Amino acid sequence: MKDEKLGSGTAKPQTRPEHPEVHKLREFLKVTKKIYKLAACLTDEEAEVGLSGRQANLQHLNQLFQHLGIDPDSESAWRQLGEMEQAFTDREIKPQPVIDVPGPGFFTSRVQEIVRGPKSLYAPTVRAVGNISLQEVIMYGHTDWAAVGPRGKDSIGEYLHDVARVMADPISYHLNFARADMGRDYSNDHAAVREDWRIANGRHRSLVARALGVEYVAEAGMDQWMHVTVRE
């Protein structure tokens, strides 16, 4: 990449593979939505649907259960489906990080260093545009880090530790911040930067990433599930 002044170029859009667990969650939500829709149709079907139509819907319903690895003829089929749903729901509030997350003390110490240091690690050579990586946010993102508060926690380190645990779990992250991406009737809360790399949304997440560092984020593979958008 050439050494250019801010605004004289653009960051190249990147395409990153989807994490396997995110794909599994996406598929599960898509299939269960069809299951509940079919089940409602079977319950409310009118006489004109006919026996053949009802049988076709039942067959489709059975296929959807089988797709999830559930025996549709089992008496516990619906219970198993509920348990699978609950397992994902539990991840929303009880993250299962794919990598060890440092304790609150680590984040408290790192925030002190970041507040005393430069706003960003490096002077950006290009404007932010397209799909921004979390590593780029760490290197170029800037804001008033001292103004990022603990949101009701006893310390900023404690709050950032909790955020980091969500960020390090692809399922928990999507259920907390990217539900619309899963085809659900919610809005997304993606982290975002301005074209000049100012943090536009997700300052706590950006501070967590800055505290953890580029190597940690890359090792965890967070770019596979944590998307950063650019706002004008």
Side-chain angles (χ1 to χ4, degrees):
M1 182 182 293
K2 293 182 179 180
D3 225 2
E4 300 172 328
K5 292 182 179 180
L6 179 64
S8 61
T10 56
K12 293 181 180 180
Q14 303 172 33
T15 301
R16 292 178 287 275
E18 186 172 62
H19 190 274
E21 282 202 283
V22 176
H23 177 76
K24 181 179 178 180
L25 173 62
R26 188 188 304 279
E27 187 71 10
F28 178 79
L29 293 175
K30 181 176 69 175
V31 172
T32 52
K33 185 176 182 178
K34 292 179 180 179
I35 285 176
Y36 288 125
K37 184 176 181 179
L38 268 176
C41 287
L42 286 166
T43 301
D44 301 332
E45 274 181 346
E46 299 178 2
E48 58 262 25
V49 172
L51 180 61
S52 61
R54 181 175 179 81
Q55 288 177 333
N57 284 340
L58 280 171
Q59 183 179 9
H60 189 194
L61 182 64
N62 290 342
Q63 290 172 344
L64 292 172
F65 271 101
Q66 290 169 345
H67 184 75
L68 296 177
I70 299 174
D71 180 1
D73 296 323
S74 171
E75 293 182 357
S76 63
W78 284 98
R79 178 177 59 79
Q80 292 178 59
L81 179 64
E83 290 173 349
M84 293 174 72
E85 285 185 298
Q86 188 61 49
F88 282 123
T89 300
D90 288 344
R91 291 275 289 274
E92 182 174 358
I93 58 175
K94 298 177 182 177
Q96 297 177 18
V98 300
I99 190 172
D100 290 338
V101 175
F106 166 86
F107 289 101
T108 299
S109 176
R110 285 290 293 129
V111 168
Q112 292 172 353
E113 295 174 8
I114 292 168
V115 169
R116 291 195 299 264
K119 288 184 177 180
S120 60
L121 293 177
Y122 304 102
T125 57
V126 295
R127 291 185 296 114
V129 67
N131 298 315
I132 303 303
S133 72
L134 197 53
Q135 288 93 326
E136 288 174 310
V137 174
I138 293 171
M139 293 187 294
Y140 306 134
H142 59 90
T143 189
D144 181 3
W145 298 117
V148 182
R151 286 188 175 173
K153 291 287 185 178
D154 292 335
S155 70
I156 186 64
E158 185 180 353
Y159 185 79
L160 294 184
H161 169 73
D162 291 346
V163 174
R165 285 180 53 78
V166 173
M167 288 172 58
D169 178 351
I171 298 298
S172 185
Y173 188 83
H174 269 79
L175 292 177
N176 277 280
F177 295 108
R179 291 189 175 195
D181 285 353
M182 297 289 102
R184 308 184 80 182
D185 296 328
Y186 298 90
S187 60
N188 283 332
D189 185 22
H190 290 312
V193 298
R194 303 289 182 187
E195 288 189 351
D196 63 357
W197 297 95
R198 284 177 297 139
I199 307 300
N201 189 52
R203 292 195 304 168
H204 289 90
R205 281 170 280 171
S206 300
L207 185 52
V208 165
R210 178 78 177 271
L212 292 171
V214 171
E215 291 184 3
Y216 181 101
V217 167
E219 182 181 353
M222 288 185 187
D223 274 331
Q224 294 179 70
W225 62 83
M226 184 173 171
H227 303 298
V228 183
T229 62
V230 178
R231 293 185 182 177
E232 296 182 358

